[in-house]
Amino acid sequence: YQPFMILDLVVNLNEKKDLHFAKEASRKYNLREVHTHVIKTSLAFFIAELVYKTINNREENIELYQFLEKSIQFLDTSQESVVNFHLIFMLKYASILGFGIVNGSNNHLYFDLEKGVFEKTPTHSKFLNEEMSKILAQLIKANYLNMNELDITNLQRKQMVESLLDFFYF
């Protein structure tokens, strides 16, 4: 199996053991590009690791499952550039996990990575600068369908990923 492959599984869970096994496994969708397109494969690995490191419970979460399934399908079928996909994914994913970012008012120019809010002035070192805060505000308003309208350089994209990972950490 490969990252982001959507499967139908029948699994035997034994609460007394750490090792579980799948009795049956079949593909739910036949993904075409996630495993053959270099950029999409890289994004799938990144997002799979993010999800793996941030979900640690076994409770059913239909909203999260549907979000993941639709995101995977969009990534696979998109004919447009997906270079901003992971940024949109991270923000939407944070919201589903319960710590999403609400865009502040225009006079709050800096994003506080620890508190998860926009503020007027930085009060410690864990703030995005004004430029990156503006990009974050644009990303919050974006979705998969309009993500290519964002004008973000590769360097800004890299900085935003690092900042959003810090945000997930806090």
Side-chain angles (χ1 to χ4, degrees):
Y1 301 114
Q2 297 187 12
F4 263 23
M5 189 175 282
I6 303 171
L7 303 172
D8 278 324
L9 294 172
V10 176
V11 178
N12 280 352
L13 294 177
N14 185 339
E15 297 299 325
K16 295 179 183 177
K17 296 182 180 179
D18 290 333
L19 185 61
H20 310 286
F21 65 93
K23 288 173 50 175
E24 297 176 35
S26 62
R27 291 183 191 172
K28 188 170 181 181
Y29 300 104
N30 189 20
L31 300 176
R32 297 168 200 254
E33 290 194 9
V34 166
H35 305 120
T36 59
H37 186 279
V38 174
I39 293 172
K40 290 181 180 186
T41 301
S42 299
L43 291 172
F45 273 110
F46 172 79
I47 291 168
E49 184 171 352
L50 177 69
V51 170
Y52 174 75
K53 290 189 177 207
T54 54
I55 296 177
N56 58 8
N57 62 28
R58 294 185 189 160
E59 293 178 17
E60 182 178 25
N61 187 332
I62 293 170
E63 179 187 14
L64 175 58
Y65 174 80
Q66 290 173 342
F67 167 73
L68 292 172
E69 185 176 298
K70 288 177 183 176
S71 295
I72 293 165
Q73 289 175 317
F74 181 88
L75 179 62
D76 187 61
T77 60
S78 177
Q79 298 303 308
E80 303 288 325
S81 172
V82 292
V83 295
N84 293 324
F85 177 86
H86 56 309
L87 301 174
I88 304 297
F89 178 90
M90 292 174 79
L91 292 169
K92 305 296 182 199
Y93 181 58
S95 290
I96 290 172
L97 294 180
F99 58 94
I101 302 168
V102 177
N103 197 8
S105 65
N106 291 337
N107 61 349
H108 293 100
L109 303 176
Y110 302 93
F111 182 73
D112 184 328
L113 290 165
E114 289 181 351
K115 293 180 185 174
V117 296
F118 286 87
E119 297 196 331
K120 288 182 182 182
T121 56
T123 57
H124 52 77
S125 64
K126 294 296 182 181
F127 272 81
L128 294 183
N129 64 29
E130 188 173 345
E131 175 192 27
M132 294 305 292
S133 294
K134 285 180 183 178
I135 292 170
L136 179 60
Q138 291 174 355
L139 285 165
I140 292 168
K141 295 175 186 172
N143 58 50
Y144 295 144
L145 297 175
N146 66 10
M147 67 184 171
N148 292 320
E149 297 170 13
L150 300 169
D151 187 24
I152 303 173
T153 68
N154 286 335
L155 178 60
Q156 291 168 328
R157 193 175 293 112
K158 182 181 178 197
Q159 290 171 339
M160 186 58 67
V161 168
E162 291 171 4
S163 296
L164 289 174
L165 289 174
D166 283 346
F167 173 68
F168 269 77
Y169 176 76
F170 292 120

